[in-house]
Amino acid sequence: MPGQELLQRHQQEVAALRDSSFRVFRNALANVPIFFAVVSGFLIFSGDVTRTTLIPMSLSVVGGAFGISTYLVGNPTVPARRLLVAALGLAALGLAGMILVRML
């Protein structure tokens, strides 16, 4: 049965590698809204904001807060995935809003 043991060990190692790669990918995705939130927060506090740009920038800041909360939740549970989706969605809305405001 050494072949069976070797196969089980291989399957465990592949599962561990898959889980760690998904964790790194989720962390990289969470960093995107956090970056947008830092830039938007800096622009808000430095006074480079107008009435029209305040809403998209604040959406980015809220998305960054959700991105940080995905780190606090930790485990890849359903709420952590929902927080990540919300963070990415709000960051995308903020970025799209900024682009639309700047173009108009």
Side-chain angles (χ1 to χ4, degrees):
M1 296 295 169
Q4 189 78 5
E5 232 176 73
L6 191 60
L7 180 63
Q8 286 178 348
R9 181 180 163 104
H10 175 71
Q11 289 174 346
Q12 289 172 348
E13 294 294 327
V14 168
L17 179 64
R18 186 185 67 228
D19 290 341
S20 67
S21 65
F22 281 139
R23 183 174 26 98
V24 170
F25 182 64
R26 282 190 304 268
N27 289 344
L29 285 177
N31 288 339
V32 172
I34 294 170
F35 173 75
F36 286 141
V38 168
V39 171
S40 294
F42 176 74
L43 290 173
I44 289 171
F45 287 120
S46 68
D48 293 334
V49 66
T50 63
R51 281 189 199 163
T52 56
T53 60
L54 182 61
I55 292 173
M57 285 184 182
S58 61
L59 284 175
S60 294
V61 171
V62 173
F66 283 156
I68 290 171
S69 65
T70 59
Y71 279 105
L72 299 177
V73 170
N75 293 335
T77 58
V78 172
R81 280 181 264 163
R82 288 182 180 164
L83 284 171
L84 182 60
V85 168
L88 290 170
L90 286 170
L93 282 174
L95 183 62
M98 283 299 297
I99 291 171
L100 287 175
V101 165
R102 297 291 179 172
M103 289 178 65
L104 298 178

Coordinates of all heavy atoms in Angstrom, one line a residue:
M1 N 0.8 -1.2 0.0 CA 0.0 0.0 0.0 C 0.8 1.3 0.0 O 0.3 2.3 0.2 CB -0.9 0.0 1.2 CG -1.9 -1.1 1.3 SD -3.1 -0.8 -0.1 CE -3.9 -2.3 -0.1
P2 N 2.1 1.2 -0.2 CA 2.9 2.5 -0.3 C 2.5 3.4 -1.4 O 2.5 4.6 -1.3 CB 4.3 2.1 -0.4 CG 4.4 0.6 -0.5 CD 3.0 0.1 -0.4
G3 N 2.0 2.8 -2.5 CA 1.5 3.6 -3.6 C 0.2 4.4 -3.2 O 0.0 5.5 -3.7
Q4 N -0.6 3.8 -2.5 CA -1.9 4.4 -2.0 C -1.5 5.6 -1.1 O -2.1 6.7 -1.1 CB -2.7 3.4 -1.2 CG -4.1 3.9 -0.9 CD -5.0 3.8 -2.1 OE1 -4.7 3.4 -3.1 NE2 -6.2 4.3 -1.9
E5 N -0.5 5.4 -0.2 CA -0.1 6.4 0.7 C 0.5 7.6 0.0 O 0.3 8.8 0.3 CB 1.0 5.8 1.7 CG 0.7 6.1 3.1 CD 1.8 5.4 3.9 OE1 2.9 5.9 3.9 OE2 1.5 4.3 4.5
L6 N 1.3 7.3 -1.0 CA 1.9 8.3 -1.9 C 0.9 9.1 -2.6 O 1.0 10.3 -2.7 CB 2.9 7.7 -2.8 CG 3.8 8.6 -3.6 CD1 4.7 9.4 -2.6 CD2 4.7 7.8 -4.6
L7 N -0.1 8.4 -3.1 CA -1.2 9.1 -3.8 C -2.0 10.1 -2.9 O -2.3 11.2 -3.3 CB -2.2 8.1 -4.5 CG -3.3 8.7 -5.3 CD1 -2.8 9.5 -6.5 CD2 -4.3 7.6 -5.7
Q8 N -2.3 9.6 -1.7 CA -3.0 10.5 -0.7 C -2.2 11.7 -0.4 O -2.7 12.8 -0.3 CB -3.4 9.7 0.5 CG -4.5 8.7 0.3 CD -4.8 7.9 1.5 OE1 -4.0 7.9 2.5 NE2 -5.9 7.2 1.5
R9 N -0.9 11.5 -0.2 CA 0.0 12.6 0.2 C 0.1 13.6 -1.0 O 0.0 14.8 -0.7 CB 1.4 12.1 0.5 CG 2.4 13.2 0.9 CD 3.7 12.6 1.2 NE 4.7 13.6 1.2 CZ 5.3 14.2 2.2 NH1 4.9 13.7 3.4 NH2 6.2 15.1 2.1
H10 N 0.1 13.1 -2.2 CA 0.2 14.0 -3.4 C -1.1 14.8 -3.4 O -1.1 16.0 -3.7 CB 0.4 13.1 -4.6 CG 0.3 13.9 -5.9 ND1 1.2 14.8 -6.3 CD2 -0.7 14.0 -6.8 CE1 0.8 15.4 -7.4 NE2 -0.3 14.9 -7.8
Q11 N -2.3 14.1 -3.2 CA -3.6 14.8 -3.3 C -3.6 15.9 -2.2 O -4.2 17.0 -2.4 CB -4.7 13.8 -3.1 CG -4.9 13.0 -4.4 CD -5.9 11.9 -4.2 OE1 -6.3 11.6 -3.0 NE2 -6.3 11.3 -5.3
Q12 N -3.1 15.6 -1.0 CA -3.1 16.6 0.1 C -2.2 17.8 -0.3 O -2.6 18.9 0.0 CB -2.6 16.0 1.4 CG -3.6 15.0 2.0 CD -3.0 14.3 3.2 OE1 -1.8 14.3 3.4 NE2 -3.8 13.5 3.9
E13 N -1.1 17.5 -0.8 CA -0.2 18.6 -1.2 C -0.8 19.5 -2.3 O -0.7 20.7 -2.3 CB 1.2 18.1 -1.7 CG 2.0 17.4 -0.6 CD 2.4 18.3 0.5 OE1 2.7 19.5 0.2 OE2 2.5 17.9 1.6
V14 N -1.5 18.9 -3.3 CA -2.1 19.7 -4.3 C -3.2 20.5 -3.8 O -3.4 21.7 -4.1 CB -2.6 18.7 -5.5 CG1 -3.5 19.4 -6.4 CG2 -1.4 18.1 -6.2
A15 N -4.0 19.9 -2.8 CA -5.1 20.7 -2.2 C -4.6 21.9 -1.4 O -5.1 23.0 -1.4 CB -5.9 19.8 -1.3
A16 N -3.5 21.7 -0.7 CA -2.9 22.7 0.1 C -2.3 23.8 -0.8 O -2.5 25.0 -0.6 CB -1.7 22.2 0.9
L17 N -1.8 23.5 -2.0 CA -1.3 24.5 -2.9 C -2.4 25.2 -3.5 O -2.3 26.5 -3.7 CB -0.4 23.8 -4.0 CG 0.1 24.7 -5.1 CD1 1.1 25.6 -4.5 CD2 0.8 23.8 -6.2
R18 N -3.5 24.5 -3.9 CA -4.7 25.2 -4.4 C -5.3 26.2 -3.4 O -5.6 27.3 -3.8 CB -5.7 24.2 -4.8 CG -6.9 24.8 -5.6 CD -8.0 23.8 -5.9 NE -8.6 23.3 -4.6 CZ -8.8 22.1 -4.3 NH1 -8.5 21.1 -5.1 NH2 -9.3 21.7 -3.2
D19 N -5.4 25.8 -2.2 CA -6.0 26.7 -1.2 C -5.1 27.9 -0.9 O -5.6 29.0 -0.8 CB -6.1 25.9 0.2 CG -7.3 24.9 0.1 OD1 -8.1 25.0 -0.8 OD2 -7.3 24.0 0.9
S20 N -3.8 27.7 -0.9 CA -2.9 28.9 -0.7 C -2.9 29.8 -1.9 O -2.8 31.0 -1.7 CB -1.5 28.4 -0.4 OG -0.9 27.8 -1.5
S21 N -3.0 29.3 -3.1 CA -3.0 30.1 -4.3 C -4.3 30.9 -4.3 O -4.3 32.1 -4.7 CB -2.8 29.3 -5.6 OG -3.9 28.5 -5.8
F22 N -5.4 30.3 -3.9 CA -6.7 31.1 -3.9 C -6.6 32.2 -2.8 O -7.1 33.3 -3.0 CB -7.9 30.2 -3.6 CG -8.3 29.4 -4.9 CD1 -8.7 28.1 -4.8 CD2 -8.4 30.1 -6.1 CE1 -9.1 27.4 -5.9 CE2 -8.8 29.4 -7.2 CZ -9.2 28.1 -7.1
R23 N -6.0 31.9 -1.7 CA -5.8 32.9 -0.6 C -5.0 34.1 -1.1 O -5.4 35.2 -0.9 CB -5.2 32.2 0.6 CG -5.1 33.2 1.8 CD -4.6 32.5 3.0 NE -3.8 31.3 2.8 CZ -2.5 31.3 2.8 NH1 -1.8 32.4 3.0 NH2 -1.8 30.2 2.5
V24 N -3.9 33.8 -1.8 CA -3.1 34.9 -2.3 C -3.8 35.7 -3.3 O -3.8 36.9 -3.4 CB -1.8 34.3 -2.9 CG1 -1.0 35.3 -3.7 CG2 -0.9 33.7 -1.8
F25 N -4.6 35.0 -4.2 CA -5.4 35.7 -5.2 C -6.5 36.6 -4.6 O -6.7 37.7 -5.0 CB -6.0 34.7 -6.1 CG -6.8 35.3 -7.3 CD1 -6.2 36.1 -8.2 CD2 -8.2 35.1 -7.4 CE1 -6.9 36.7 -9.3 CE2 -8.9 35.7 -8.4 CZ -8.3 36.5 -9.3
R26 N -7.1 36.1 -3.5 CA -8.1 36.9 -2.8 C -7.5 38.1 -2.2 O -8.0 39.2 -2.2 CB -8.9 36.1 -1.8 CG -9.9 35.2 -2.3 CD -10.8 34.6 -1.2 NE -10.0 33.8 -0.2 CZ -9.7 32.5 -0.3 NH1 -10.2 31.8 -1.3 NH2 -9.0 32.0 0.6
N27 N -6.3 37.9 -1.6 CA -5.6 39.1 -1.0 C -5.2 40.1 -2.0 O -5.3 41.3 -1.8 CB -4.4 38.6 -0.2 CG -4.8 37.9 1.0 OD1 -5.9 37.9 1.5 ND2 -3.8 37.1 1.6
A28 N -4.8 39.6 -3.2 CA -4.4 40.6 -4.3 C -5.6 41.3 -4.7 O -5.6 42.5 -5.0 CB -3.8 39.8 -5.4
L29 N -6.8 40.6 -4.8 CA -8.0 41.3 -5.2 C -8.4 42.3 -4.2 O -9.0 43.4 -4.5 CB -9.1 40.3 -5.5 CG -9.0 39.5 -6.8 CD1 -10.2 38.5 -6.8 CD2 -9.1 40.4 -8.0
A30 N -8.3 42.0 -2.9 CA -8.6 43.0 -1.9 C -7.7 44.2 -1.8 O -8.2 45.3 -1.4 CB -8.6 42.3 -0.5
N31 N -6.5 44.1 -2.3 CA -5.6 45.2 -2.3 C -6.0 46.3 -3.3 O -5.7 47.5 -3.1 CB -4.2 44.7 -2.6 CG -3.6 44.0 -1.5 OD1 -4.0 44.1 -0.3 ND2 -2.6 43.2 -1.7
V32 N -6.7 45.9 -4.4 CA -7.1 46.9 -5.4 C -8.0 48.0 -4.8 O -7.7 49.2 -4.9 CB -7.7 46.2 -6.6 CG1 -8.3 47.2 -7.6 CG2 -6.7 45.3 -7.3
P33 N -9.1 47.6 -4.2 CA -10.0 48.6 -3.6 C -9.3 49.4 -2.5 O -9.6 50.6 -2.3 CB -11.2 47.9 -3.0 CG -11.1 46.5 -3.5 CD -9.8 46.3 -4.0
I34 N -8.4 48.8 -1.7 CA -7.7 49.5 -0.7 C -6.8 50.5 -1.3 O -6.7 51.7 -0.8 CB -6.9 48.5 0.2 CG1 -7.8 47.5 0.9 CG2 -5.9 49.2 1.1 CD1 -7.1 46.4 1.6
F35 N -6.1 50.2 -2.4 CA -5.3 51.2 -3.1 C -6.2 52.4 -3.6 O -5.8 53.6 -3.3 CB -4.6 50.6 -4.3 CG -3.8 51.6 -5.1 CD1 -2.7 52.2 -4.6 CD2 -4.3 52.0 -6.3 CE1 -2.0 53.1 -5.4 CE2 -3.7 52.9 -7.1 CZ -2.5 53.5 -6.7
F36 N -7.3 52.1 -4.2 CA -8.2 53.2 -4.7 C -8.7 54.0 -3.5 O -8.9 55.2 -3.6 CB -9.4 52.7 -5.5 CG -9.0 52.2 -6.8 CD1 -9.6 51.1 -7.4 CD2 -8.1 52.9 -7.6 CE1 -9.2 50.7 -8.7 CE2 -7.8 52.5 -8.9 CZ -8.3 51.4 -9.4
A37 N -8.9 53.4 -2.4 CA -9.4 54.1 -1.2 C -8.4 55.0 -0.6 O -8.7 56.2 -0.2 CB -9.9 53.1 -0.1
V38 N -7.1 54.6 -0.6 CA -6.0 55.4 -0.1 C -5.9 56.7 -1.0 O -5.8 57.8 -0.5 CB -4.7 54.6 0.0 CG1 -3.5 55.5 0.2 CG2 -4.9 53.6 1.1
V39 N -5.9 56.4 -2.3 CA -5.7 57.6 -3.2 C -6.9 58.5 -3.1 O -6.7 59.7 -3.1 CB -5.5 57.1 -4.7 CG1 -5.6 58.2 -5.7 CG2 -4.2 56.3 -4.8
S40 N -8.1 58.0 -3.1 CA -9.3 58.8 -3.0 C -9.3 59.6 -1.7 O -9.7 60.8 -1.6 CB -10.6 58.0 -3.2 OG -10.7 57.5 -4.5
G41 N -9.0 58.9 -0.6 CA -9.0 59.5 0.7 C -7.9 60.7 0.8 O -8.2 61.7 1.3
F42 N -6.8 60.4 0.1 CA -5.8 61.5 0.1 C -6.3 62.7 -0.7 O -6.1 63.8 -0.3 CB -4.5 61.0 -0.5 CG -3.4 62.0 -0.7 CD1 -2.7 62.5 0.4 CD2 -3.2 62.5 -2.0 CE1 -1.8 63.5 0.2 CE2 -2.2 63.5 -2.2 CZ -1.5 64.0 -1.1
L43 N -6.9 62.4 -1.8 CA -7.5 63.5 -2.6 C -8.6 64.3 -1.9 O -8.7 65.5 -2.0 CB -8.0 63.0 -4.0 CG -6.9 62.6 -4.9 CD1 -7.5 61.9 -6.2 CD2 -6.0 63.7 -5.3
I44 N -9.4 63.6 -1.1 CA -10.5 64.2 -0.4 C -9.9 65.1 0.7 O -10.3 66.3 0.9 CB -11.5 63.2 0.2 CG1 -12.3 62.5 -0.9 CG2 -12.4 63.8 1.2 CD1 -13.1 61.3 -0.5
F45 N -8.9 64.6 1.4 CA -8.4 65.3 2.6 C -7.5 66.5 2.1 O -7.2 67.4 2.8 CB -7.7 64.4 3.5 CG -8.6 63.6 4.4 CD1 -8.6 62.2 4.3 CD2 -9.6 64.2 5.2 CE1 -9.5 61.5 5.1 CE2 -10.5 63.5 5.9 CZ -10.4 62.1 5.9
S46 N -6.9 66.3 0.9 CA -6.0 67.4 0.4 C -6.9 68.6 -0.2 O -6.3 69.6 -0.5 CB -5.0 66.9 -0.6 OG -5.7 66.5 -1.8
G47 N -8.1 68.3 -0.4 CA -9.0 69.4 -0.9 C -9.1 69.4 -2.4 O -9.7 70.3 -3.0
D48 N -8.7 68.3 -3.1 CA -8.8 68.2 -4.6 C -10.1 67.6 -5.0 O -10.1 66.7 -5.9 CB -7.6 67.5 -5.2 CG -6.3 68.2 -5.0 OD1 -6.4 69.4 -4.9 OD2 -5.3 67.5 -5.0
V49 N -11.2 67.9 -4.3 CA -12.5 67.3 -4.6 C -13.5 68.4 -4.9 O -13.5 69.5 -4.4 CB -12.9 66.4 -3.4 CG1 -13.2 67.3 -2.2 CG2 -14.1 65.6 -3.7
T50 N -14.4 68.0 -5.8 CA -15.5 68.9 -6.1 C -16.8 68.2 -5.8 O -16.8 67.1 -5.3 CB -15.5 69.3 -7.6 OG1 -15.7 68.1 -8.4 CG2 -14.2 69.9 -8.1
R51 N -17.9 68.9 -6.0 CA -19.2 68.3 -5.7 C -19.4 67.0 -6.5 O -19.9 66.0 -6.0 CB -20.3 69.3 -6.0 CG -20.6 70.3 -4.9 CD -21.8 71.0 -5.2 NE -21.9 72.3 -4.5 CZ -22.7 73.2 -4.8 NH1 -23.5 73.1 -5.8 NH2 -22.6 74.3 -4.1
T52 N -19.0 67.1 -7.7 CA -19.3 65.9 -8.6 C -18.3 64.8 -8.4 O -18.7 63.6 -8.6 CB -19.2 66.4 -10.1 OG1 -17.9 67.0 -10.3 CG2 -20.3 67.3 -10.4
T53 N -17.1 65.0 -7.9 CA -16.2 64.0 -7.7 C -16.2 63.4 -6.3 O -15.6 62.3 -6.0 CB -14.7 64.4 -7.9 OG1 -14.4 65.5 -7.1 CG2 -14.5 64.8 -9.4
L54 N -17.0 64.0 -5.4 CA -17.1 63.5 -4.0 C -17.7 62.2 -3.9 O -17.3 61.3 -3.2 CB -17.8 64.5 -3.1 CG -17.9 64.2 -1.6 CD1 -16.5 64.0 -1.0 CD2 -18.7 65.2 -0.9
I55 N -18.8 62.0 -4.7 CA -19.5 60.7 -4.6 C -18.7 59.5 -5.1 O -18.6 58.5 -4.4 CB -20.9 60.8 -5.3 CG1 -21.8 61.8 -4.5 CG2 -21.6 59.5 -5.4 CD1 -23.1 62.1 -5.2
P56 N -18.1 59.6 -6.3 CA -17.3 58.5 -6.7 C -16.1 58.2 -5.8 O -15.7 57.1 -5.5 CB -16.8 58.9 -8.1 CG -17.7 59.9 -8.6 CD -18.2 60.6 -7.4
M57 N -15.5 59.3 -5.3 CA -14.4 59.1 -4.3 C -14.8 58.5 -3.0 O -14.1 57.6 -2.5 CB -13.7 60.4 -4.1 CG -12.8 60.9 -5.2 SD -12.0 62.4 -4.7 CE -11.1 62.8 -6.2
S58 N -16.0 58.8 -2.5 CA -16.5 58.2 -1.3 C -16.8 56.8 -1.5 O -16.7 55.9 -0.6 CB -17.6 59.0 -0.7 OG -18.7 59.0 -1.7
L59 N -17.3 56.4 -2.7 CA -17.6 55.0 -3.0 C -16.3 54.2 -3.0 O -16.3 53.1 -2.5 CB -18.2 54.9 -4.4 CG -19.7 55.2 -4.5 CD1 -20.2 55.2 -6.0 CD2 -20.6 54.3 -3.7
S60 N -15.2 54.8 -3.5 CA -13.9 54.1 -3.5 C -13.4 53.9 -2.0 O -12.9 52.9 -1.7 CB -12.9 54.9 -4.3 OG -13.2 54.9 -5.6
V61 N -13.7 54.9 -1.2 CA -13.3 54.8 0.2 C -14.0 53.7 0.9 O -13.5 52.9 1.7 CB -13.4 56.2 0.9 CG1 -13.2 56.0 2.4 CG2 -12.4 57.2 0.3
V62 N -15.3 53.6 0.7 CA -16.2 52.6 1.3 C -15.7 51.2 0.8 O -15.7 50.2 1.5 CB -17.7 52.8 1.0 CG1 -18.5 51.7 1.5 CG2 -18.1 54.1 1.7
G63 N -15.4 51.1 -0.5 CA -14.9 49.9 -1.1 C -13.6 49.5 -0.4 O -13.4 48.3 -0.2
G64 N -12.8 50.4 -0.1 CA -11.5 50.1 0.6 C -11.8 49.6 2.0 O -11.0 48.7 2.5
A65 N -12.8 50.2 2.6 CA -13.1 49.7 4.0 C -13.6 48.2 3.9 O -13.2 47.4 4.8 CB -14.2 50.6 4.6
F66 N -14.4 47.9 2.9 CA -14.8 46.5 2.7 C -13.6 45.6 2.4 O -13.5 44.5 2.8 CB -15.8 46.4 1.6 CG -17.2 46.8 2.0 CD1 -18.1 47.2 1.1 CD2 -17.6 46.7 3.3 CE1 -19.4 47.6 1.5 CE2 -18.9 47.1 3.7 CZ -19.8 47.5 2.8
G67 N -12.6 46.2 1.6 CA -11.4 45.4 1.3 C -10.6 45.1 2.5 O -10.1 44.0 2.7
I68 N -10.5 46.1 3.4 CA -9.8 45.8 4.7 C -10.5 44.8 5.5 O -9.9 44.0 6.2 CB -9.6 47.1 5.4 CG1 -8.6 48.0 4.7 CG2 -9.1 46.9 6.9 CD1 -8.5 49.4 5.2
S69 N -11.8 44.9 5.5 CA -12.6 43.9 6.3 C -12.5 42.5 5.8 O -12.6 41.5 6.6 CB -14.1 44.3 6.3 OG -14.6 44.2 5.1
T70 N -12.1 42.3 4.5 CA -11.9 40.9 4.1 C -10.6 40.3 4.7 O -10.5 39.1 5.0 CB -11.7 40.8 2.5 OG1 -10.6 41.7 2.1 CG2 -13.0 41.3 1.8
Y71 N -9.6 41.2 5.0 CA -8.5 40.7 5.8 C -8.9 40.4 7.2 O -8.3 39.4 7.8 CB -7.4 41.8 5.8 CG -6.5 41.8 4.6 CD1 -6.7 42.8 3.6 CD2 -5.6 40.9 4.3 CE1 -5.9 42.9 2.5 CE2 -4.8 40.9 3.2 CZ -5.0 41.9 2.3 OH -4.2 42.0 1.2
L72 N -9.8 41.1 7.8 CA -10.2 40.9 9.2 C -11.0 39.6 9.3 O -10.9 38.9 10.3 CB -10.9 42.1 9.7 CG -10.1 43.4 9.7 CD1 -11.0 44.5 10.2 CD2 -8.9 43.3 10.6
V73 N -11.8 39.3 8.3 CA -12.6 38.1 8.4 C -11.7 36.9 8.2 O -11.9 35.9 8.9 CB -13.7 38.1 7.3 CG1 -14.4 36.8 7.2 CG2 -14.7 39.2 7.6
G74 N -10.8 36.9 7.3 CA -9.8 35.9 7.2 C -10.2 34.7 6.4 O -9.9 34.6 5.2
N75 N -10.9 33.8 7.0 CA -11.2 32.5 6.3 C -12.1 32.7 5.1 O -12.9 33.6 5.1 CB -11.9 31.6 7.3 CG -11.0 31.1 8.4 OD1 -9.8 31.1 8.3 ND2 -11.6 30.8 9.6
P76 N -11.9 31.9 4.1 CA -12.7 32.1 2.9 C -14.1 31.5 3.0 O -14.5 30.6 2.5 CB -11.9 31.3 1.8 CG -11.2 30.2 2.6 CD -10.9 30.8 4.0
T77 N -14.8 32.2 3.9 CA -16.2 31.8 4.1 C -17.1 32.7 3.1 O -16.6 33.5 2.4 CB -16.6 32.1 5.5 OG1 -16.4 33.5 5.8 CG2 -15.8 31.3 6.5
V78 N -18.4 32.4 3.2 CA -19.3 33.1 2.3 C -19.4 34.6 2.6 O -19.3 35.4 1.7 CB -20.8 32.5 2.4 CG1 -21.8 33.3 1.7 CG2 -20.7 31.1 1.9
P79 N -19.4 35.0 3.9 CA -19.3 36.5 4.2 C -18.0 37.1 3.7 O -18.1 38.3 3.2 CB -19.4 36.6 5.7 CG -20.1 35.4 6.1 CD -19.6 34.3 5.2
A80 N -16.9 36.4 3.7 CA -15.7 37.0 3.2 C -15.7 37.2 1.7 O -15.2 38.2 1.2 CB -14.5 36.1 3.6
R81 N -16.3 36.2 1.0 CA -16.4 36.4 -0.4 C -17.4 37.5 -0.8 O -17.1 38.3 -1.7 CB -16.9 35.1 -1.0 CG -15.8 34.1 -1.2 CD -16.2 32.8 -1.8 NE -16.5 31.9 -0.7 CZ -17.2 30.8 -0.7 NH1 -17.8 30.5 -1.9 NH2 -17.4 30.1 0.3
R82 N -18.4 37.6 0.0 CA -19.4 38.7 -0.3 C -18.8 40.1 0.0 O -19.0 41.0 -0.8 CB -20.6 38.5 0.6 CG -21.5 37.4 0.1 CD -22.7 37.2 0.9 NE -23.5 36.1 0.4 CZ -24.5 35.6 1.0 NH1 -24.8 36.0 2.2 NH2 -25.1 34.5 0.5
L83 N -18.0 40.2 1.0 CA -17.2 41.4 1.3 C -16.3 41.8 0.2 O -16.2 42.9 -0.2 CB -16.5 41.3 2.6 CG -17.3 41.5 3.9 CD1 -16.5 41.1 5.1 CD2 -17.9 42.8 4.0
L84 N -15.6 40.7 -0.3 CA -14.7 41.0 -1.4 C -15.4 41.4 -2.7 O -15.0 42.4 -3.4 CB -13.9 39.7 -1.7 CG -12.8 39.8 -2.8 CD1 -11.8 40.9 -2.4 CD2 -12.1 38.5 -3.0
V85 N -16.5 40.8 -3.0 CA -17.3 41.2 -4.2 C -17.8 42.7 -4.0 O -17.8 43.5 -4.9 CB -18.5 40.2 -4.4 CG1 -19.5 40.8 -5.4 CG2 -17.9 38.9 -4.9
A86 N -18.3 43.0 -2.8 CA -18.8 44.3 -2.5 C -17.6 45.3 -2.6 O -17.8 46.4 -3.2 CB -19.4 44.4 -1.1
A87 N -16.4 45.0 -2.1 CA -15.3 45.9 -2.2 C -14.9 46.1 -3.7 O -14.7 47.3 -4.1 CB -14.1 45.3 -1.4
L88 N -14.9 45.1 -4.4 CA -14.5 45.2 -5.8 C -15.6 46.0 -6.6 O -15.2 46.8 -7.5 CB -14.2 43.9 -6.5 CG -13.0 43.2 -6.0 CD1 -13.0 41.7 -6.5 CD2 -11.7 43.9 -6.4
G89 N -16.8 45.7 -6.3 CA -17.9 46.5 -7.0 C -17.9 47.9 -6.7 O -18.1 48.8 -7.6
L90 N -17.7 48.3 -5.4 CA -17.7 49.7 -5.0 C -16.5 50.4 -5.6 O -16.5 51.6 -6.0 CB -17.7 49.9 -3.5 CG -19.1 49.6 -2.9 CD1 -19.0 49.5 -1.4 CD2 -20.1 50.6 -3.3
A91 N -15.3 49.7 -5.7 CA -14.1 50.3 -6.3 C -14.4 50.5 -7.8 O -14.0 51.6 -8.3 CB -12.9 49.4 -6.0
A92 N -15.0 49.6 -8.4 CA -15.3 49.7 -9.8 C -16.3 50.9 -10.1 O -16.1 51.6 -11.0 CB -15.8 48.4 -10.4
L93 N -17.3 51.0 -9.2 CA -18.2 52.1 -9.4 C -17.6 53.4 -9.2 O -17.8 54.4 -9.9 CB -19.4 51.9 -8.4 CG -20.5 50.9 -8.8 CD1 -21.5 50.8 -7.6 CD2 -21.2 51.3 -10.0
G94 N -16.7 53.5 -8.2 CA -16.0 54.7 -7.9 C -15.1 55.1 -9.1 O -15.0 56.3 -9.5
L95 N -14.3 54.1 -9.6 CA -13.4 54.4 -10.7 C -14.2 54.8 -12.0 O -13.9 55.8 -12.6 CB -12.6 53.2 -11.0 CG -11.6 53.4 -12.1 CD1 -10.5 54.4 -11.8 CD2 -10.9 52.0 -12.4
A96 N -15.3 54.1 -12.2 CA -16.1 54.4 -13.4 C -16.8 55.8 -13.2 O -16.8 56.6 -14.2 CB -17.2 53.4 -13.6
G97 N -17.2 56.1 -12.0 CA -17.8 57.4 -11.7 C -16.8 58.5 -11.9 O -17.1 59.6 -12.5
M98 N -15.5 58.3 -11.5 CA -14.5 59.3 -11.7 C -14.2 59.5 -13.2 O -14.0 60.7 -13.6 CB -13.2 58.9 -11.0 CG -13.3 59.1 -9.5 SD -13.5 60.9 -9.0 CE -12.1 61.6 -9.7
I99 N -14.2 58.5 -13.9 CA -13.9 58.6 -15.4 C -15.0 59.4 -16.0 O -14.8 60.2 -16.8 CB -13.7 57.2 -16.0 CG1 -12.4 56.6 -15.5 CG2 -13.7 57.3 -17.5 CD1 -12.2 55.1 -15.9
L100 N -16.3 59.0 -15.7 CA -17.4 59.7 -16.3 C -17.4 61.2 -15.9 O -17.7 62.1 -16.7 CB -18.7 59.1 -15.9 CG -19.0 57.7 -16.5 CD1 -20.3 57.1 -15.9 CD2 -19.2 57.9 -18.0
V101 N -17.2 61.5 -14.7 CA -17.2 62.9 -14.2 C -16.1 63.7 -14.9 O -16.3 64.8 -15.3 CB -17.0 62.9 -12.7 CG1 -16.7 64.3 -12.2 CG2 -18.3 62.5 -12.0
R102 N -14.9 63.1 -15.0 CA -13.8 63.8 -15.7 C -14.0 64.0 -17.2 O -13.6 65.0 -17.8 CB -12.5 63.0 -15.5 CG -12.0 62.9 -14.1 CD -11.6 64.2 -13.5 NE -11.2 64.1 -12.1 CZ -10.7 65.0 -11.4 NH1 -10.4 66.2 -12.0 NH2 -10.4 64.8 -10.2
M103 N -14.8 63.1 -17.8 CA -15.0 63.2 -19.2 C -16.1 64.2 -19.5 O -16.1 64.8 -20.6 CB -15.4 61.9 -19.8 CG -14.3 60.9 -19.9 SD -14.7 59.3 -20.6 CE -15.2 59.7 -22.2
L104 N -17.1 64.4 -18.6 CA -18.2 65.3 -18.9 C -17.9 66.7 -18.4 O -17.2 67.2 -17.9 CB -19.4 64.8 -18.2 CG -19.9 63.4 -18.6 CD1 -21.1 63.0 -17.8 CD2 -20.3 63.5 -20.1

